[in-house]
């Protein structure tokens, strides 16, 4: 609730409702003024044409006495002449004040207007002027409030003959013939006629106010509703931002947890593998065939586990932004041959044809040898893993030439296979950490879904790009494009799911 | 409520709330039709081409008290369509009481519930204490097939503290009864907050009598209620 007009003292209020925020009072709770609801310039035009049509002076004031329209008609000379007499001036000023600011009641010289029997006059009053002229004043009522008043006149009542003594007594020496000739310029009519014209004007005004109120309220409420919508969106955005921050925190926690756990897993695993090695090499006594087989299995599985843990550690380090690349001269041919020979045993076990094609000329580049080897091994072991028995894997290294994608000199490392392929709709997801095309618990292929995420990060760390083409059931082709000389190493390389790029700096 | 001692004026705001097409505008049209022109303003309504309320409707009803105060009761409707929630919230600001217009049909139960929840949400958003703003529930469209039975209405009544009024607004049935119920509760709340009877000498009986004095009460229970000072339940 709100209270007002009580000399600023708080009113008797028991309202302790909590306010979420102080919003400005809606237009629906404001008292509207005439100026809110009327288009003042077109309204003034309308009043002018009305005054000209009926040859009558028309004035419209709002409730505070501000003039919204003021059209004079014919009375200028007469009133000016009367005004030139000192007493005339005083009485004229008095009459004008009575008409403009006096009470809208039949007091202080005002009386009820002469209206035809049964006509509702809606609070109209008639105010006689000491000159014998007359004014009619009508309150502008809206929803029970007085919003202002319309003043018609002065006009000459039809029954006015000689100028009254109330004028002649106050203006000694007045030239009556002159005064009469000025008077003739003012509209002469029966009061009841002017009453009808004024009632008609009031109807017109009511229609204008009704239309104006509708337009004003609806446009203002529309603005308020838009602001309200905006406020709601801002609140929602803030909530989303907060959630985003929380999610990022959780993601960091997850990476840090994985890093710690992987590290803690690797330490005992190294001992398991080390002791198994010593056992299999007979350092603590000769083993029989069965024992040797068992110990080799322990070593093999331990090795697989170690690789898995290493890749988790790699990814967590990439995500934590802790990976640094060290560039040195690398002979690509040698590096690819080493990588290929490391996966040869697995390929042979599955009966795959492994075909390596190197360019005629040696490719000498700058790269991080270890990371590049891992890129190759990851792609190759994926190809071997996802190609069924009897299939083929082809490895191709191109010569150094201009690479449009890199906008500079570079080379390509391509691994193609006749494997199971990747569904088209998942091609852009396979580079995400932990993503696997087959995510079911009964999936056919092992692994943690980290190999390609690592490939992408390392390749991009070299300023290169990875591209994949695949057809389900037909095979896949991974192309790695690398520059001959990578850009100066950034202190860290970006995680596989990179942050959105920072907004461009302000233009102005 | 806006109480202006200098202008000796009390403005009361009542909002008709509820799902789209439940009959909020019809309620105001009926009140407008039954009230003499000297006791009310024009019915302002903004509709879309399909006769649905776009922004709001506004019907002002006013009278003068013996103590010389002008009392204006502004009756608003909110737009029922889901997309106009912001407008609903703007219109609902600082409401003194709410008439919740529900569709009696069983099939409308879920929508009634959604808008009831929406009303509570918007009151909270506006800083209105839902427990302190009186609400009257009108079950409109009692004449349609599939409407809830009187016994079911009784169940709804028993589930909460809000008075429940049955209505067929299109025929004017229950419209003035709903208005009576909501104004009675509005008065009691304002009297509690601002001591209307103590401070401006306006009693509940005078408040209700003067509002309904210019309305055609034939065929309604309001005349009896006014005579006996009864409260609908």
């Amino acid at each position: 609730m709100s209270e007002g007009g009580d000399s600023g003292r708080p009113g008797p209020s028991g309202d302790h409702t909590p306010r979420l925020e102080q919003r400005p009072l809606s237009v629906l709770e404001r008292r509207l003024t005439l100026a809110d609801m009327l288009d003042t310039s077109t309204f003034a035009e309308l009043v002018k044409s009305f005054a000209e049509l009926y040859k009558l002076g028309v004035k419209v004031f709002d409730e505070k006495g501000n003039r919204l329209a003021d059209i004079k008609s014919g009375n200028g000379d007469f009133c000016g002449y009367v005004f030139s007499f000192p007493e005339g001036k005083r009485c004229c000023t008095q009459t004008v004040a009575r008409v403009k600011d006096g009470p809208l009641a039949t007091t202080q010289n005002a009386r009820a207007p002469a209206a035809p029997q049964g006509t509702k006059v809606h609070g109209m009053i008639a105010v006689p002027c000491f000159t014998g002229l007359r004014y009619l004043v009508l309150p502008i009522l809206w929803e029970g409030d007085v919003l202002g008043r319309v003043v018609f006149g002065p006009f000459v009542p039809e029954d006015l003959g000689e100028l009254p003594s109330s004028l002649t007594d106050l203006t000694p020496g007045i030239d009556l013939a002159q005064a009469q000739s000025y008077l003739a310029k003012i509209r002469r009519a029966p009061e009841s006629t002017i009453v009808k014209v004024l009632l008609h004007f009031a109807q017109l005004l009511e229609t204008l106010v009704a239309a104006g109120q509708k337009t004003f309220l609806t446009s203002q409420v529309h603005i308020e509703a838009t602001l309200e919508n905006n406020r709601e969106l801002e609140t929602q955005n803030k909530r989303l931002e907060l959630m985003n921050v929380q999610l990022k925190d959780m993601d960091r926690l997850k990476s840090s947890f994985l890093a710690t756990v992987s590290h803690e897993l690797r330490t005992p695993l190294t001992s398991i593998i080390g002791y198994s090695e010593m056992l299999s090499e007979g350092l603590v006594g000769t083993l029989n065939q069965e024992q040797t087989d068992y110990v080799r299995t322990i070593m093999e599985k331990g090795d697989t586990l170690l690789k898995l843990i290493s890749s988790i550690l790699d990814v967590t380090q990439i995500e934590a932004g802790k990976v640094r690349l060290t560039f040195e001269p690398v002979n690509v041919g040698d590096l690819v041959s080493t990588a290929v020979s490391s996966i040869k045993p697995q390929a042979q076990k599955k009966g795959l044809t492994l075909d390596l094609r190197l360019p005629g000329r040696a490719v000498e580049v700058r790269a991080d040898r270890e990371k590049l080897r891992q890129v190759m091994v990851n792609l190759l072991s994926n190809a071997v893993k996802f190609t069924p028995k009897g299939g083929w894997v082809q490895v191709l290294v191109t010569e150094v030439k201009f690479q449009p994608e890199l906008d500079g000199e570079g080379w390509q490392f391509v691994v193609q296979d006749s494997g199971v392929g990747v569904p088209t709709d998942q091609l852009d997801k396979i580079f995400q950490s932990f993503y696997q095309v087959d995510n079911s618990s009964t999936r056919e292929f092992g692994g943690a879904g980290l190999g390609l995420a690592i490939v992408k990060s390392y390749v991009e760390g070299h300023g290169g790009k990875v591209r994949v083409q695949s057809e389900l059931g037909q095979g896949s082709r991974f192309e790695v494009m690398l520059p001959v000389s990578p850009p100066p190493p950034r202190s860290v390389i970006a995680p596989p799911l990179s942050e959105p790029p920072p907004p461009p700096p302000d233009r102005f | 409520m806006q109480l202006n001692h200098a202008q000796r004026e009390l403005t009361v705001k009542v909002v008709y709330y509820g799902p789209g097409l439940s009959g909020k505008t019809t309620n105001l049209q009926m009140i407008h039709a039954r009230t003499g022109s000297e006791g009310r303003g024009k019915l302002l309504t903004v509709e879309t081409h399909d006769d649905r309320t776009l922004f709001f409707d506004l019907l002002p009803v006013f009278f003068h008290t013996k103590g010389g105060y002008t009392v204006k009761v502004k009756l608003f409707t909110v737009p029922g369509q889901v997309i106009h929630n912001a407008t609903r919230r703007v219109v609902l600001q600082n409401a003194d009481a709410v008439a919740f217009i529900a569709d009696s049909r069983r099939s409308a139960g879920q929508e009634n519930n959604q808008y009831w929840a929406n009303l509570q949400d918007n009151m909270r958003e506006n800083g209105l204490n839902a427990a302190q703003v009186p609400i009257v529930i009108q079950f409109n469209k009692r004449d349609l097939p599939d409407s809830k039975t009187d016994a079911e209405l009784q169940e709804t009544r028993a589930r909460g503290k809000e008075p429940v009024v049955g209505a067929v607004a299109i025929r004017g049935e229950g419209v003035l009864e709903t208005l009576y119920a909501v104004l009675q509760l509005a008065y009691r709340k304002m009297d509690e907050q601002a001591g209307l009877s103590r401070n401006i000498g306006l009693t509940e009986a005078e408040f209700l009598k003067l509002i309904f004095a210019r309305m055609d009460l034939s065929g309604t229970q309001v005349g009896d209620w006014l005579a006996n000072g009864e409260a609908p339940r």
Side-chain angles (χ1 to χ4, degrees), chain A residues 220-232, chain B residues 86-87 90:
Chain A
Q220 294 298 311
V221 168
H222 186 73
I223 294 170
E224 285 178 26
T226 310
L227 291 175
E228 187 63 27
N229 264 330
N230 203 32
R231 195 185 60 82
E232 200 174 341
Chain B
T87 315
V90 168

Side-chain angles (χ1 to χ4, degrees), chain A residues 467-483:
Chain A
R467 198 160 55 186
V468 58
Q469 289 169 301
S470 184
E471 201 171 325
L472 208 56
Q474 300 295 313
S476 308
R477 178 184 166 94
F478 286 83
E479 295 173 9
V480 174
M481 287 152 276
L482 286 162

Side-chain angles (χ1 to χ4, degrees), chain A residues 354-380:
Chain A
L354 196 53
D355 179 21
L356 169 63
R357 291 184 192 177
L358 291 172
R361 230 176 334 155
V363 180
E364 297 283 349
V365 299
R366 278 183 68 78
D368 183 312
R369 186 186 301 272
E370 186 40 41
K371 302 287 187 287
L372 195 54
R373 195 191 63 84
Q374 206 178 333
V375 166
M376 292 168 176
V377 170
N378 282 5
L379 288 176
L380 284 167

Side-chain angles (χ1 to χ4, degrees), chain A residues 51-86:
Chain A
E52 281 168 3
L53 179 67
Y54 289 100
K55 297 190 170 48
L56 258 176
V58 181
K59 296 180 179 61
V60 180
F61 300 97
D62 71 9
E63 58 189 311
K64 294 206 172 85
N66 300 312
R67 214 180 297 257
L68 295 180
D70 183 0
I71 311 298
K72 294 185 176 60
S73 181
N75 66 316
D77 289 340
F78 180 79
C79 293
Y81 185 51
V82 174
F83 204 76
S84 64
F85 297 89

Side-chain angles (χ1 to χ4, degrees), chain A residues 31-50:
Chain A
R31 192 185 160 115
L32 300 188
T33 65
L34 263 189
D36 285 333
M37 296 187 277
L38 289 175
D39 182 65
T40 41
S41 61
T42 51
F43 178 65
E45 288 294 310
L46 177 96
V47 173
K48 187 166 176 243
S49 68
F50 196 91

Side-chain angles (χ1 to χ4, degrees), chain A residues 1-4 12 14 17-20 23 29 31 143-145 206 213-214 218 222 224 228 231, chain B residues 1-3 5 9 13 42 44-46 55 60 62 72 89-90 93-94 124-125 127 129 193-194 199:
Chain A
M1 72 173 255
S2 67
E3 291 197 55
T17 342
R19 284 269 182 277
L20 294 186
R23 263 179 272 169
E29 285 155 62
R31 192 185 160 115
E143 296 178 358
D145 290 328
E206 192 179 337
Q213 185 207 26
K214 189 164 169 169
T218 49
H222 186 73
E224 285 178 26
E228 187 63 27
R231 195 185 60 82
Chain B
M1 160 173 70
Q2 288 172 285
L3 183 54
H5 293 294
E9 192 176 273
K13 183 174 188 179
K42 291 195 184 318
L44 184 151
T45 155
V46 187
F55 280 121
F62 41 83
K72 286 190 207 164
R89 203 178 299 154
V90 168
Q93 273 175 39
N94 300 320
R124 206 168 33 245
E125 283 286 322
N129 184 342
Q193 281 186 351
N199 292 315

Side-chain angles (χ1 to χ4, degrees), chain A residues 30-350:
Chain A
R30 251 182 54 203
R31 192 185 160 115
L32 300 188
T33 65
L34 263 189
D36 285 333
M37 296 187 277
L38 289 175
D39 182 65
T40 41
S41 61
T42 51
F43 178 65
E45 288 294 310
L46 177 96
V47 173
K48 187 166 176 243
S49 68
F50 196 91
E52 281 168 3
L53 179 67
Y54 289 100
K55 297 190 170 48
L56 258 176
V58 181
K59 296 180 179 61
V60 180
F61 300 97
D62 71 9
E63 58 189 311
K64 294 206 172 85
N66 300 312
R67 214 180 297 257
L68 295 180
D70 183 0
I71 311 298
K72 294 185 176 60
S73 181
N75 66 316
D77 289 340
F78 180 79
C79 293
Y81 185 51
V82 174
F83 204 76
S84 64
F85 297 89
E87 273 304 288
K89 181 177 177 179
R90 187 183 61 79
C91 291
C92 180
T93 311
Q94 225 170 36
T95 308
V96 168
R98 168 68 188 89
V99 164
K100 179 172 173 278
D101 301 315
L104 287 157
T106 52
T107 56
Q108 299 181 21
N109 198 31
R111 58 166 173 76
Q117 195 75 41
T119 311
K120 277 191 180 172
V121 294
H122 302 287
M124 191 192 301
I125 53 171
V127 181
C129 175
F130 69 100
T131 55
L133 300 183
R134 201 163 294 165
Y135 289 94
L136 287 179
V137 183
L138 181 72
I140 303 172
L141 292 170
W142 185 253
E143 296 178 358
D145 290 328
V146 177
L147 290 190
R149 60 180 69 189
V150 184
V151 177
F152 265 30
F155 63 95
V156 184
E158 198 179 38
D159 49 8
L160 182 72
E162 294 296 309
L163 287 169
S165 58
S166 53
L167 170 67
T168 49
D169 291 354
L170 292 175
T171 51
I174 189 167
D175 177 347
L176 287 176
Q178 182 71 27
Q180 281 292 356
S181 77
Y182 287 148
L183 197 67
K185 294 183 185 173
I186 307 175
R187 167 103 195 248
R188 180 181 283 265
E191 186 176 309
S192 60
T193 305
I194 307 297
V195 167
K196 272 197 259 177
V197 176
L198 180 49
L199 287 175
H200 172 60
F201 182 82
Q203 241 173 8
L204 204 67
L205 186 58
E206 192 179 337
T207 312
L208 286 179
V209 170
Q213 185 207 26
K214 189 164 169 169
T215 314
F216 182 74
L217 281 186
T218 49
S219 60
Q220 294 298 311
V221 168
H222 186 73
I223 294 170
E224 285 178 26
T226 310
L227 291 175
E228 187 63 27
N229 264 330
N230 203 32
R231 195 185 60 82
E232 200 174 341
L233 280 178
E234 274 172 16
T235 316
Q236 253 170 24
N237 278 348
K238 270 186 203 144
R239 206 165 42 222
L240 285 175
E241 268 169 33
L242 193 71
M243 274 169 66
N244 197 20
V245 169
Q246 284 170 342
L247 280 175
K248 277 184 185 161
D249 279 352
M250 281 164 65
D251 195 51
R252 256 194 297 278
L253 274 177
K254 177 211 74 183
S255 296
S256 143
F257 172 77
L258 277 177
T260 313
V261 168
S262 317
H263 183 76
E264 294 301 318
L265 284 174
R266 202 156 60 161
T267 317
L269 194 56
T270 329
S271 303
I272 292 172
I273 295 170
Y275 282 109
S276 310
E277 243 170 36
M278 289 196 286
L279 275 176
S280 77
E281 282 167 14
L283 291 183
V284 284
T286 322
L287 303 181
N288 66 30
Q289 190 53 46
E290 202 174 4
Q291 285 169 332
T292 311
D293 284 350
Y294 286 179
V295 172
R296 289 234 167 97
T297 309
I298 293 175
M299 272 171 60
E300 260 173 48
K301 299 297 172 193
D303 226 33
T304 314
L305 196 53
L306 188 62
K307 275 184 193 145
L308 177 65
I309 292 169
S310 298
S311 33
I312 293 178
L313 201 55
D314 287 344
V315 165
T316 52
Q317 290 204 319
I318 290 169
E319 285 181 350
K322 284 184 189 161
V323 174
R324 284 161 207 282
L325 299 180
T326 325
F327 298 134
E328 56 184 316
V330 172
N331 181 304
V332 173
D334 292 351
L335 197 64
V336 174
S337 304
T338 323
V340 169
S341 50
S342 77
I343 56 115
K344 215 169 221 162
Q346 291 141 270
Q348 277 170 349
K349 213 186 264 176
K350 286 179 87 174

